[in-house]
Amino acid sequence: MERFLFLIPALPLTGFLVLALTGRRMRTGPVSMLGAGTVLVSAVLATAVSAMFLHAPPDGGAYVQRLWRWVSVGGLEPSIALYFDALALVMTLVVAWVGFFILLYSARFMRGEEGYARFFAYMDLFIGSMLLLVLAGDLIPLYAGWEGVGLCSYLLIGFWYEDPGNGRAARKAFLVTRVGDTAMAVGLFILFTHLGTLDIQGLMRGAAASWTTGSSLAVWAAALLLAGAVGKSAQVPLQIWLPDAMAGPTPVSALIHAATMVTAGVYLIARTNVLFTLAPRVQTLVAVTGILTLLLAGCSALVQRDIKRALAYSTISQVGYMFLALGVGAYSAAVFHLMTHAFFKALLFLSAGVVIQSIGHERDMFRMGGLRRELPTAFWTFLAGAASLSALPLVTAGYYSKDLVLLDTFFSVKGGTWLWLGGVMGALLTSMYAFRMVFLTFFGETRSPVSKRPGRAVQAPLLAFAALALFGGFIDVPGMLGRQAGLFPPLVTGRMGPAVVWMLKAAASLGPLAGLALAYWFYLRNREGAARRSGHRAGAFLTGFWAGGWGFDRLYGTFVVRPFLRAARISKDDLMDLIFDGLGWYLWALNSVLVRTQSGRIHNYALGLVLGAVITVGIVLIL
């Protein structure tokens, strides 16, 4: 079965090629069947390979499929290879199955939109690129997949390109992530030039054998890869692109947030964990980045009016938990939370999409309200997603993954009490903004009439994701990852008495419950009082500051964008531009002369031939 491993990314990429070349001439039914069908077959194949992997683990703990040798120069023979281990297994199943259900939802949700085939082509390319990224055994396919998801994010965020605002959001996402991508490329070059291979596992073995803990090369390589991860996963200080990415269609938002773009950075750090173990200061920076991001984004989500922007800040915050776990060495916990997050975040976006489409594309939560009776399926599934996002104890998947992150943070020698307290505070904020969305959208008086109700094709993915958001926490991802010797370094912890563990679990559970109680009081029972307090000068300032993303956009605009544009205006007439302008003028003048020779008069052409012959004969006789 492992010989068919290449088909997992190849099938969605084939779907993209067929739709890109022939999609305009196809009807909507065949387009959606081809777009979703190729991803479904890929997901089924990934499940079969995973089942065989778990039933009879291969020698070395991984399937390796070398497709072809790229080049052979001076003893260097890099190949295009795929690598399937326990980490790739989890990521592949999440990307393929979540991607399929989102495409199944999109088949009906996007019907009637201009560019229907183009949408499915881009989505297939997005999923195929992410599958290539997580299955890459060498830097070449890894970098191809990394760049592919960046390109697709630009294409899909700006899908409705007729609106200039959507184009700006797409360019912003592309340019901001390019900052991190450039740093990552430099980091990969450092690894290749000093370790002499493009094989990822070979690089990790070479780094462990050649570099000592804290060596400058290890620190630089890890720091540069961290910059790439921060850009793709929208962490501080490169988080500014993700809220604006809500300009794309709702299924695009679900795919970016749940299964592709923002999880790529988490996967990169987990895959190259050896480097971060060799660079303890950079690994600590990963944890600090995560805790800052989850708290800042949590505050911003708490004051958003746009339901999709609130969910966007929620994603930034939850990925912060994953970075926190990676930073303290709890790699299994980070991947576990990545999986459960994919379930409940896809559910929340798709449920929000039903609400938005049902009330005339309204996204302001303060213009919603009272929709739980009109849209019962959307209400109950959104409630399940919000409960899992909030990590309500015992009954949600998010509880089990977030609880593991917090426990490992407290007990890890690289973690500690302060990081744990920050995580608990983040859990309280998460529950507050999650149930704020529930109460504002589905409770209270009705403000926007429902003009459209979802069909079964849209409701089926919601129900599937709701089941995963509630029960997905029972999938033993940490145990499976822990059983793979050498996949992740063991978590180094202090003393873990059972009484302390239960006390920490109880304390961590109070955060989500307290957040739920506060959200109930402020946004359901005492909504007018909350509105009055936010209208005060201090409340209005804080609300505006948090809603604007803590001023990061203004900061970049002042110190990066405007100086760059000013410098570009000043240098637009420099010497190099004059040279190229002169070359352009010369070509234009030459073209003007040559155009005059094409008069359409045959006797002029004949005269030219005779003159040319005479001149040629004369030159030959003279020479």
Side-chain angles (χ1 to χ4, degrees):
M1 182 63 71
E2 68 270 19
R3 65 181 180 275
F4 299 116
L5 193 60
F6 74 97
L7 289 175
I8 296 175
L11 285 168
L13 295 176
T14 302
F16 157 72
L17 287 175
V18 174
L19 288 172
L21 295 175
T22 65
R24 288 186 177 183
R25 297 188 293 273
M26 296 171 64
R27 294 185 177 181
T28 56
V31 165
S32 58
M33 288 181 64
L34 179 61
T38 53
V39 178
L40 173 61
V41 176
S42 178
V44 171
L45 183 59
T47 304
V49 174
S50 300
M52 190 177 73
F53 180 93
L54 295 173
H55 177 69
D59 295 336
Y63 296 136
V64 180
Q65 185 178 44
R66 302 199 179 278
L67 302 177
W68 66 85
R69 186 173 60 191
W70 184 44
V71 70
S72 178
V73 178
L76 176 68
E77 297 183 352
S79 61
I80 306 299
L82 302 180
Y83 186 84
F84 189 89
D85 62 356
L87 175 59
L89 182 153
V90 175
M91 295 295 300
T92 301
L93 291 178
V94 168
V95 173
W97 280 111
V98 171
F100 164 69
F101 280 115
I102 291 174
L103 287 177
L104 182 63
Y105 172 96
S106 304
R108 184 67 182 175
F109 186 86
M110 293 297 293
R111 184 160 296 179
E113 293 287 350
E114 186 177 354
Y116 189 79
R118 176 167 57 91
F119 172 83
F120 276 91
Y122 290 166
M123 293 286 273
D124 272 10
L125 180 60
F126 209 168
I127 295 169
S129 298
M130 189 65 190
L131 289 170
L132 180 64
L133 167 63
V134 300
L135 287 171
D138 288 74
L139 294 184
I140 299 168
L142 182 142
Y143 196 70
W146 188 272
E147 292 299 297
V149 296
L151 170 64
C152 292
S153 68
Y154 168 78
L155 295 173
L156 286 166
I157 293 169
F159 178 76
W160 290 313
Y161 56 83
E162 297 88 352
D163 185 344
N166 296 341
R168 285 192 297 271
R171 291 193 299 273
K172 182 178 182 180
F174 190 74
L175 292 173
V176 172
T177 55
R178 297 309 293 173
V179 176
D181 294 350
T182 303
M184 173 189 160
V186 175
L188 296 181
F189 278 120
I190 289 176
L191 292 174
F192 166 67
T193 54
H194 286 86
L195 300 176
T197 180
L198 293 175
D199 177 71
I200 296 174
Q201 300 306 311
L203 287 172
M204 297 302 102
R205 289 191 296 269
S210 304
W211 295 343
T212 59
T213 301
S215 68
S216 59
L217 285 174
V219 169
W220 275 107
L224 290 167
L225 293 189
L226 172 60
V230 163
K232 274 290 190 288
S233 293
Q235 298 293 281
V236 170
L238 298 179
Q239 82 284 8
I240 59 172
W241 66 270
L242 194 58
D244 290 343
M246 298 303 97
T250 297
V252 173
S253 303
L255 189 61
I256 288 177
H257 291 248
T260 54
M261 189 84 162
V262 299
T263 61
V266 177
Y267 169 79
L268 178 67
I269 296 176
R271 175 59 75 196
T272 58
N273 63 85
V274 173
L275 287 177
F276 291 88
T277 302
L278 293 172
R281 288 178 293 175
V282 179
Q283 191 169 17
T284 300
L285 182 59
V286 175
V288 173
T289 299
I291 200 70
L292 286 177
T293 302
L294 74 89
L295 291 173
L296 296 183
C299 292
S300 291
L302 194 58
V303 296
Q304 299 298 316
R305 297 178 65 95
D306 186 321
I307 189 171
K308 287 183 66 176
R309 286 183 71 88
L311 289 173
Y313 278 109
S314 164
T315 298
I316 298 172
S317 181
Q318 295 307 301
V319 176
Y321 275 104
M322 301 173 207
F323 269 64
L324 173 62
L326 294 170
V328 300
Y331 295 101
S332 296
V335 176
F336 188 27
H337 194 55
L338 183 153
M339 182 194 74
T340 61
H341 175 264
F343 299 153
F344 62 70
K345 189 50 59 69
L347 174 61
L348 287 167
F349 267 110
L350 299 186
S351 300
V354 169
V355 172
I356 293 168
Q357 194 175 68
S358 298
I359 57 175
H361 300 279
E362 178 60 66
R363 290 167 47 169
D364 189 340
M365 289 182 286
F366 286 89
R367 296 180 182 175
M368 299 179 184
L371 296 176
R372 70 184 187 279
R373 291 180 295 272
E374 299 288 337
L375 301 170
T377 302
F379 165 63
W380 287 110
T381 55
F382 194 94
L383 181 63
S388 191
L389 168 63
S390 303
L392 291 188
L394 303 179
V395 295
T396 62
Y399 164 75
Y400 294 98
S401 59
K402 192 176 292 185
D403 181 65
L404 184 61
V405 169
L406 292 175
L407 277 178
D408 286 351
T409 298
F410 186 88
F411 286 111
S412 172
V413 296
K414 299 178 181 179
T417 305
W418 288 108
L419 290 176
W420 178 82
L421 286 173
V424 172
M425 179 58 67
L428 186 148
L429 288 172
T430 301
S431 186
M432 276 194 71
Y433 67 66
F435 281 96
R436 173 181 181 265
M437 289 188 284
V438 172
F439 295 142
L440 291 179
T441 303
F442 295 101
F443 288 81
E445 60 180 279
T446 302
R447 294 176 175 82
S448 297
V450 173
S451 58
K452 182 179 180 180
R453 286 177 170 78
R456 292 181 179 178
V458 171
Q459 294 181 31
L462 298 184
L463 297 174
F465 279 129
L468 290 169
L470 294 175
F471 306 113
F474 296 113
I475 302 173
D476 188 22
V477 169
M480 182 185 66
L481 295 174
R483 287 191 292 271
Q484 301 297 314
L487 179 60
F488 295 134
L491 180 67
V492 181
T493 62
R495 298 184 62 182
M496 296 179 61
V500 177
V501 171
W502 283 108
M503 288 176 61
L504 290 173
K505 283 178 172 287
S509 299
L510 291 177
L513 295 175
L516 170 58
L518 290 172
Y520 173 78
W521 175 256
F522 285 121
Y523 302 109
L524 191 60
R525 288 293 301 274
N526 194 25
R527 186 178 300 183
E528 294 77 10
R532 286 196 303 271
R533 282 187 288 273
S534 64
H536 294 165
R537 180 176 299 179
F541 170 78
L542 197 61
T543 299
F545 186 59
W546 286 355
W550 295 74
F552 275 90
D553 278 299
R554 182 177 298 179
L555 184 70
Y556 285 128
T558 302
F559 294 103
V560 179
V561 177
R562 291 175 188 168
F564 179 84
L565 294 176
R566 192 176 301 115
R569 285 192 293 268
I570 293 172
S571 64
K572 68 178 181 179
D573 294 324
D574 60 12
L575 178 61
M576 295 302 297
D577 286 330
L578 291 176
I579 293 174
F580 287 106
D581 288 342
L583 178 62
W585 179 87
Y586 166 74
L587 293 174
W588 174 83
L590 181 62
N591 176 72
S592 300
V593 173
L594 294 176
V595 163
R596 295 180 182 275
T597 65
Q598 304 299 312
S599 62
R601 299 175 181 175
I602 296 178
H603 62 276
N604 287 345
Y605 298 159
L607 178 61
L609 290 173
V610 172
L611 288 176
V614 171
I615 293 172
T616 302
V617 171
I619 292 174
V620 170
L621 292 176
I622 293 173
L623 296 178

